[in-house]
């Protein structure tokens, strides 16, 4: 399970909690660094650290508390369950967490200068919309740019801006974030305000007024 899938599963609960002025708390979550089970994601030190990093970022941006499954590894369960800890059995911090750097990402709105509309996403679709006063729609209009991975990540779904067609009018959507996915690589040119695609040279994120401001 990815953090994006977790956000999908929590959507209805977050709406209910907001209506009742309650806070959402994830009482148990985690990722194993070892073992195998075909029903779950691949257990590895790298995937455990990535899940923790992504979960930490999302929990901060959405004001969600979470409790990690185990603080320490154990030696009396299955190999998969033994390895959920942040620390080894002897209390030493695991190397994948020792080397983990969680970069703080500032929330951004991506605005088209001509139309003044904001880049928005919902259910995987990307479009331009006017600034909203609804908190759920506002989340869909907020993005995080990670200069290290060159990804533009949606606050609403924790998925990344993805352009896999390198031509005018090519499809732009959001898709599961993968650090090495070339279709998700962007650079921001501060002097011009352009969001340029790294793989598709010469192409920028743009809208077409003739097609209802299609991205």
């Amino acid at each position: 399970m990815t953090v994006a899938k977790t956000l999908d599963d929590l959507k209805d609960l977050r709406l209910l909690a907001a209506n009742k002025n309650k806070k959402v708390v994830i009482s148990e979550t985690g990722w194993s660094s070892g073992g195998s089970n075909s029903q779950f994601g691949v257990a590895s030190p790298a995937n455990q650290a990535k899940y923790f990093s992504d979960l930490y970022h999302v929990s901060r941006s959405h004001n969600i508390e979470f409790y990690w499954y185990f603080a320490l590894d154990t030696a009396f369960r299955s190999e998969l369950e033994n390895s959920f800890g942040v620390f080894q059995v002897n209390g030493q911090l695991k190397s994948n967490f020792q080397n983990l750097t969680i970069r703080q990402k500032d929330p951004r709105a991506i605005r088209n200068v001509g139309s003044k509309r904001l880049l928005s996403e919902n259910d995987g679709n990307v479009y331009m919309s006017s600034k909203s006063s609804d908190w759920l729609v506002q989340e869909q209009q907020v993005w995080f740019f990670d200069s290290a991975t060159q990804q533009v990540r949606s606050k609403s779904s924790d998925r990344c801006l993805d352009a896999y067609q390198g031509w005018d009018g090519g499809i732009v959507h959001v898709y599961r974030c993968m650090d090495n996915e070339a279709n998700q690589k962007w650079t921001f040119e501060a002097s011009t305000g352009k969001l340029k695609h790294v793989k598709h040279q010469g192409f920028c994120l743009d809208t077409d007024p003739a097609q209802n401001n299609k991205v």
Side-chain angles (χ1 to χ4, degrees):
M1 177 181 288
T2 64
V3 173
K5 179 63 167 59
T6 301
L7 268 182
D8 291 344
D9 294 341
L10 289 175
K11 186 174 182 179
D12 290 342
L13 180 61
R14 292 181 63 228
L15 285 170
L16 180 63
N19 290 334
K20 294 182 178 294
N21 198 29
K22 300 291 185 180
K23 190 170 186 176
V24 174
V25 178
I26 301 175
S27 59
E28 183 179 290
T29 188
W31 196 285
S32 179
S33 62
S36 62
N37 188 317
S38 59
Q39 296 180 357
F40 302 102
V42 177
S44 71
N47 284 345
Q48 183 187 47
K50 178 170 176 53
Y51 180 77
F52 184 91
S53 176
D54 288 348
L55 182 66
Y56 179 82
H57 170 68
V58 166
S59 67
R60 281 179 60 89
S61 63
H62 290 276
N63 194 28
I64 297 173
E65 292 183 2
F66 72 90
Y67 291 86
W68 196 254
Y69 187 35
F70 284 122
L72 282 81
D73 281 352
T74 59
F76 54 87
R77 294 180 170 86
S78 67
E79 183 184 2
L80 185 70
E81 282 203 289
N82 275 339
S83 305
F84 271 86
V86 176
F87 298 87
Q88 299 175 20
V89 177
N90 62 8
Q92 182 177 353
L93 185 66
K94 287 181 176 178
S95 60
N96 55 331
F97 285 97
Q98 290 179 12
N99 300 325
L100 178 62
T101 299
I102 300 179
R103 295 180 295 274
Q104 183 65 37
K105 305 180 184 73
D106 295 325
R108 304 286 183 183
I110 301 176
R111 187 188 307 272
N112 181 274
V113 174
S115 68
K116 308 300 182 185
R117 291 174 178 260
L118 302 176
L119 183 67
S120 311
E121 75 92 3
N122 188 25
D123 292 333
N125 299 311
V126 177
Y127 56 97
M128 305 302 294
S129 64
S130 300
K131 185 176 180 180
S132 176
S133 58
D134 182 278
W135 70 270
L136 189 61
V137 178
Q138 286 178 348
E139 283 190 357
Q140 298 168 358
Q141 298 176 331
V142 174
W143 303 81
F144 299 96
F145 179 65
D146 189 333
S147 58
T149 64
Q150 297 182 302
Q151 290 171 306
V152 181
R153 187 182 295 250
S154 165
K155 176 180 178 179
S156 175
S157 68
D158 197 50
R159 291 177 171 86
C160 287
L161 196 65
D162 185 292
Y164 59 91
Q165 296 177 333
W167 56 79
D168 281 337
I171 293 174
V172 180
H173 64 161
V174 292
Y175 194 73
R176 177 170 59 90
C177 295
M178 296 174 284
D179 289 351
N180 297 320
E181 175 54 64
N183 293 327
Q184 297 177 358
K185 302 296 183 182
W186 304 83
T187 58
F188 176 67
E189 189 175 79
S191 60
T192 62
K194 293 179 180 179
L195 194 61
K196 295 184 172 182
H197 202 277
V198 174
K199 176 183 177 182
H200 307 309
Q201 292 289 317
F203 286 92
C204 300
L205 189 70
D206 199 3
T207 64
D208 186 354
Q211 298 187 54
N212 196 28
N213 289 303
K214 174 184 177 294
V215 176

